[in-house]
Every structure is written in structure tokens, then in C-alpha cells.
Amino acid sequence: MAERGTGPKTATILRQIPAVEELLHQECVQALLRVHPRWVVLDAVRETLSALREQLLRESRKGKAEPEGINLPHLLDRIRLETTRRARPSLRRLINATGIVLHTNIGRAPLSAAAVARLEEVARHYSTLELDLETGERGSRQVHVESLLRRLTGGEAALAVNNNAAAVLLAVNTLAEGQEVVVSRGELVEIGGSFRIPDVMGKAGATLREVGTTNRTHLRDYATARSERTALFLKVHPSNFRIEGFTAEVPLSALVALGRPHALPVMFDMGSGALIDLSPHGLTAEPTVGEALRAGADLVTFSGDKLLGGPQAGLLVGKAEIIARCRKNPLARAVRIDKLSLAALEATLTTYLDQDRVAVELPTLRMISASGLEVRERAQAVLAALGETSSGGFRVDLEEERARVGGGALPTESLPTTCVVLIPEALPAERLEAALRAAEPPVLGRIRDNKVLLDMRTVQTEEVPLLIGILRHLMDQE
Ligand SMILES: *Cc1c(COP(=O)(O)O)cnc(C)c1O
């Protein structure tokens, strides 16, 4: 039975495609069956055969020279690759060569060794999660981080929840449900596509009262907007953008002074929320959580996995009375932090108690604070291992570049960095970039001017040999 549009020779070859049963008896498929579940191997065999069939038909339709016949070793190789592809986990590690230290799509902050150790212990065993060991009675999971957060920020009380979006939702709902929240039009930000401050106001049951203009908001704008319906002045850190030029914004302390006679609380959603001054690490001063509280903010919210360098979490720090109300809100249970994040968060915060260790032990701060020289040396190590002669269809070189912090932190700032640059000789850079994404582990870089840039600021030192191995493998292919 010849298929439509195929010559008799193609039909003959299609008949030569081995049957599934036949392949399952091959020694190398038997070996796969010993380590992988049968359904995985079976699916891989079927998928490979159907792809082969499609390929043969396509070639014949294009009027190509009739295919040569079935190459069995090659076919078995494809089955082996397809099986490992299907058997491996979906969520797995990746090498970040984008130069963006905090990148939401690839998991933001890698954890410190200490955080991973705490997380593992709590994951493998029962724990003191909500047990007061002295009384033997039920305790609060918040005790594990609250005093650390208080000490590190100077806040009266603290609460950790699932993420910062949840922290903002919980806070606005607690403080302003059924009432108005005054926010500057210059701060109605959208973070990562789905989190928009105006939408969160609505979901929290509060009415947004926008004041000022995109570029300028004055204290009198807040004063005019305030009424007996107002429950909260909210300031939002314009995380991922900056308005430059003719601008005016109201400092936190002025807003606090405006609210005080009316007992109006001021909340600051800081987004990234630096715990320490980052200017010694080459970044212009980002206000710290402690500074915001000292300026009089009643409540500050920020993420655990942005500049802080810990696990996904949302942190609320501020006045004891406000935190107590947030805790009692039934939403607090819906957005509570899980024990693994809590364990990693406690360890991360503990690292901050020794300011000299922070930039050494927390991977994100280590990447941010690495000197340009240190990054260049890492790039030179890769170049030295690979050599400058071209092979695999590309040549390797180094280029000085600028890296970014990302994750909604310091969008206009950059750090000096060095990239390992793959310069394709014939194929387009897209092919090379895709091959790197298909590697194990995948490597994520970026393309510029038909070159693939691998930014070494975000490649951790212990990942360098792995990256070299992946690049060598690519070079060996022709
Ligand atoms: C990132 C960010 C959020 C959301 O925080 P998640 O931890 O991602 O939920 C909220 N507000 C601001 C200002 C942010 O930068």
C-alpha cells in the first residue's frame, strides 16, 4: 500500500521501518528497560518511529534523492536520546549565563549552602514548625523568623507569607477593605505581567484612589485626595522601571507626617527590599527596609527571593498592632509560608547577622559584589580551556559587557562584566543558542549581533567546569 505522493522505492523503505516489538528485543533497548519505566521506553520508541516515518515521507515529497534505507544503530541512538529526554525531570537546574542575577523565569535567587542544609533537615524529618518545646503546646511558625527580621530591620513585629504579592494583598485587605487607598500614578506598576497594583487593590476589596501624574506627584495631591474614606497611603517601589527627567515624588517621611494627624497608616511596598546598604558593592544606594521604617513607614512589604537572596517568601515588617491584625486575617492562613521556605529563610536571615559573611555566603550578593576582574578571570578560564581556534562551526572570544541585577531591582544600574562570546562561522546564532538550551544542564545566554553571549557574572565558579564541558561537546560536533 503506497502512501500518497511516494514513489515505489520510498514505500519499500517505509516497509523496512522495524516494528516496535522488534526494537524492544534489541539489547540496547533492553538496557533502557532495566532503568526506565516500560511506558517511557515504549513512548520513546513509538515517537522515534513516527518521526522517522515523517522524515522519510518529507524527503520523498521534496523529490530528494530516495532515502538510503534504515540505519539501525542511528535509530537506536535516537531512541536512547528520546528515552532520556522523557525520563528526566521537568523542573531541573540550569546555568544562568544571562548576566541577570535575579531572573524570575529561572527561579530568582539560588540559595546559600546554609539555607539548603536547613531546608534539607526540615524536609527529611519532623520539625518544631508549630510546637513550643517548652510547654509542649502549639506554637507559631512565625517565631522562627520574626525576631531575626526585627533585629535586622528595627521593626516592631514581622510576618512571613508565601510571596510579596500575597503580602501586599494581605496588608491592603487588612488595612483598607471597603475603604480607599491613595497611590501615586507614578507608582501604579505592573510586575512580571500578572501582578498589577491596581488589580491587587480590587482583589483586596479596597478602592484605588490615584493621585498626581505619571511623572510628578506632590504632597498636596495626597492631601487633597484624603477624606474620611481613606484608610491607607500606599507607596510602591517602581521596581522594574525608572521615570527620569522632570519628576517629583513625595518622600516617605512627608507622607508619614501628612497621615499622622489623621491616624492614617503609611505602607511601603518595597518589592526587592534590600536589608543592607549595597553601595559598597558598586550599586547606588537602594533604600533599605530599616531606613524605610526609620522614615516612619507603618508597614513595609518585600520579597524573600529578590535582593534578599533567600527562598520565595513575602515579608511584612512594621508596627506591632498592624502585624497583629494581619495575622488574625483569615487570608493569612491562605497565604501562609511553607516549612521548607521558612527553614531556608531562617538560615538566610541568620547569615545577615554577620555582615562580613553576607557577600561571601549568599550567591546573589556574591554575584552582585564580584569585582570586574574576578568575572574576567572566570571568563578567561573558559577561553583558555577551549582555545581560540574555531571548531563545531563557531569560534570563542571574550567581550566586556554590562550585567544587570534584574528581579525588579535597580533597573537602570549595571555592573561591569565579561562574556564568553560564541561567534558562529556559518550557522545563525539562534541555532547555537538553541543547542545550548538543549544541553544538559541547559545553558541560558543571549544573542547580540549574531553572536551568543555567555555572561560570566552569573555563572557560579563551581559551574565553570560544567560549562566548559558543554561547550567542548558542542565544538566536537560538526
Ligand atoms: C516583585 C514585586 C512584587 C511581587 O513580589 P513576589 O515576591 O514576586 O510576589 C510586588 N511588589 C513589588 C514592588 C515588586 O517589585
Side-chain angles (χ1 to χ4, degrees):
M1 209 179 7
E3 308 240 354
R4 204 152 50 89
T6 57
K9 202 165 167 198
T10 308
T12 315
I13 288 167
L14 286 176
R15 273 197 298 276
Q16 285 171 14
I17 295 181
V20 173
E21 271 313 307
E22 200 180 311
L23 287 169
L24 288 178
H25 287 112
Q26 292 284 333
E27 176 42 39
C28 89
V29 180
Q30 286 289 315
L32 289 172
L33 283 166
R34 282 192 288 276
V35 279
H36 300 292
R38 189 177 168 82
W39 64 268
V40 173
V41 182
L42 213 55
D43 281 359
V45 170
R46 291 201 180 109
E47 168 64 33
T48 310
L49 290 182
S50 107
L52 174 66
R53 191 182 175 81
E54 281 301 312
Q55 183 195 335
L56 292 173
L57 284 169
R58 223 172 19 247
E59 281 172 9
S60 130
R61 247 183 254 121
K62 275 193 193 149
K64 272 208 180 149
E66 290 278 346
E68 315 229 310
I70 311 293
N71 178 338
L72 188 62
H74 184 220
L75 183 63
L76 291 172
D77 217 34
R78 276 164 71 172
I79 289 171
R80 193 180 45 75
L81 279 176
E82 183 62 24
T83 304
T84 23
R85 198 182 64 76
R86 283 164 180 265
R88 75 190 171 197
S90 166
L91 179 58
R92 59 214 152 93
R93 71 175 294 184
L94 167 151
I95 294 180
N96 174 12
T98 63
I100 302 169
V101 179
L102 296 164
H103 192 313
T104 300
N105 299 356
I106 57 176
R108 290 194 189 156
L111 296 176
S112 67
V116 172
R118 303 303 308 137
L119 185 152
E120 187 181 351
E121 181 184 316
V122 168
R124 297 175 71 93
H125 306 279
Y126 294 104
S127 64
T128 56
L129 182 63
E130 289 186 355
L131 183 76
D132 184 334
L133 281 180
E134 275 175 31
T135 61
E137 283 172 13
R138 179 168 182 185
S140 159
R141 66 178 63 205
Q142 298 296 333
V143 300
H144 309 296
V145 290
E146 190 181 11
S147 57
L148 283 164
L149 283 165
R150 277 179 19 214
R151 182 187 294 255
L152 291 166
T153 64
E156 287 176 14
L159 178 64
V161 295
N162 180 62
N163 61 2
N164 190 34
V168 175
L169 179 74
L170 177 64
V172 173
N173 178 263
T174 305
L175 296 173
E177 189 177 19
Q179 293 171 281
E180 285 183 4
V181 180
V182 183
V183 189
S184 159
R185 289 201 171 87
E187 299 173 0
L188 293 175
V189 301
E190 171 179 308
I191 293 125
S194 53
F195 181 85
R196 290 177 159 187
I197 289 295
D199 299 344
V200 176
M201 292 299 125
K203 288 292 178 192
T207 305
L208 172 66
R209 186 75 207 268
E210 303 174 23
V211 295
T213 59
T214 306
N215 58 329
R216 288 172 75 82
T217 302
H218 306 280
L219 192 60
R220 62 173 183 273
D221 296 322
Y222 287 92
T224 316
R226 193 201 60 78
S227 71
E228 64 283 2
R229 290 183 302 278
T230 311
L232 180 68
F233 285 151
L234 173 63
K235 221 175 147 48
V236 182
H237 190 293
S239 305
N240 40 16
F241 72 100
R242 286 287 178 274
I243 297 171
E244 286 176 357
F246 186 56
T247 63
E249 73 167 303
V250 177
L252 193 58
S253 52
L255 217 47
V256 170
L258 181 66
R260 189 155 294 147
H262 310 281
L264 263 185
V266 176
M267 166 177 161
F268 187 11
D269 175 19
M270 295 190 82
S272 223
L275 283 184
I276 54 164
D277 177 13
L278 292 167
S279 48
H281 303 297
L283 297 167
T284 50
E286 173 81 2
T288 65
V289 176
E291 279 163 8
L293 291 167
R294 282 195 293 283
D298 297 280
L299 183 63
V300 175
T301 56
F302 54 103
S303 289
D305 54 354
K306 290 186 180 169
L307 275 180
L308 194 124
Q312 179 188 305
L315 304 162
L316 301 97
V317 184
K319 296 272 153 66
E321 176 264 334
I322 289 178
I323 297 290
R325 280 165 63 198
C326 289
R327 268 183 210 226
K328 284 200 208 95
N329 188 328
L331 269 182
R333 171 60 194 255
V335 299
R336 78 175 180 186
I337 187 168
D338 94 293
K339 63 178 181 178
L340 302 185
S341 309
L342 201 53
L345 183 61
E346 181 185 4
T348 308
L349 293 172
T350 303
T351 305
Y352 274 95
L353 293 178
D354 182 350
Q355 304 246 336
D356 296 334
R357 276 172 47 211
V358 185
V360 183
E361 296 191 8
L362 297 186
T364 48
L365 288 184
R366 200 162 61 216
M367 287 185 233
I368 290 170
S369 64
S371 69
L373 179 67
E374 186 185 332
V375 179
R376 190 179 317 131
E377 280 171 356
R378 219 179 291 158
Q380 278 162 345
V382 176
L383 184 66
L386 297 173
E388 288 176 53
T389 53
S390 83
S391 86
F394 64 93
R395 184 165 67 74
V396 187
D397 203 353
L398 299 185
E399 251 176 57
E400 303 292 310
E401 255 287 337
R402 303 294 298 183
R404 285 187 297 128
V405 174
L410 314 157
T412 51
E413 292 200 40
S414 61
L415 298 157
T417 193
T418 307
C419 292
V420 170
V421 186
L422 311 185
I423 306 159
E425 316 256 79
L427 63 164
E430 284 74 15
R431 282 270 295 282
L432 211 47
E433 190 268 345
L436 285 164
R437 268 188 288 115
E440 196 54 55
V443 178
L444 196 63
R446 67 189 131 102
I447 296 178
R448 211 201 52 208
D449 306 333
N450 199 39
K451 291 184 279 196
V452 180
L453 270 56
L454 302 177
D455 193 318
M456 296 305 291
R457 181 167 283 275
T458 49
V459 176
Q460 304 188 63
T461 311
E462 61 273 23
E463 293 174 325
V464 170
L466 200 54
L467 179 63
I468 291 172
I470 289 166
L471 292 174
R472 276 216 182 104
H473 185 69
L474 271 186
M475 294 187 111
D476 290 343
Q477 292 173 347
E478 202 53 62

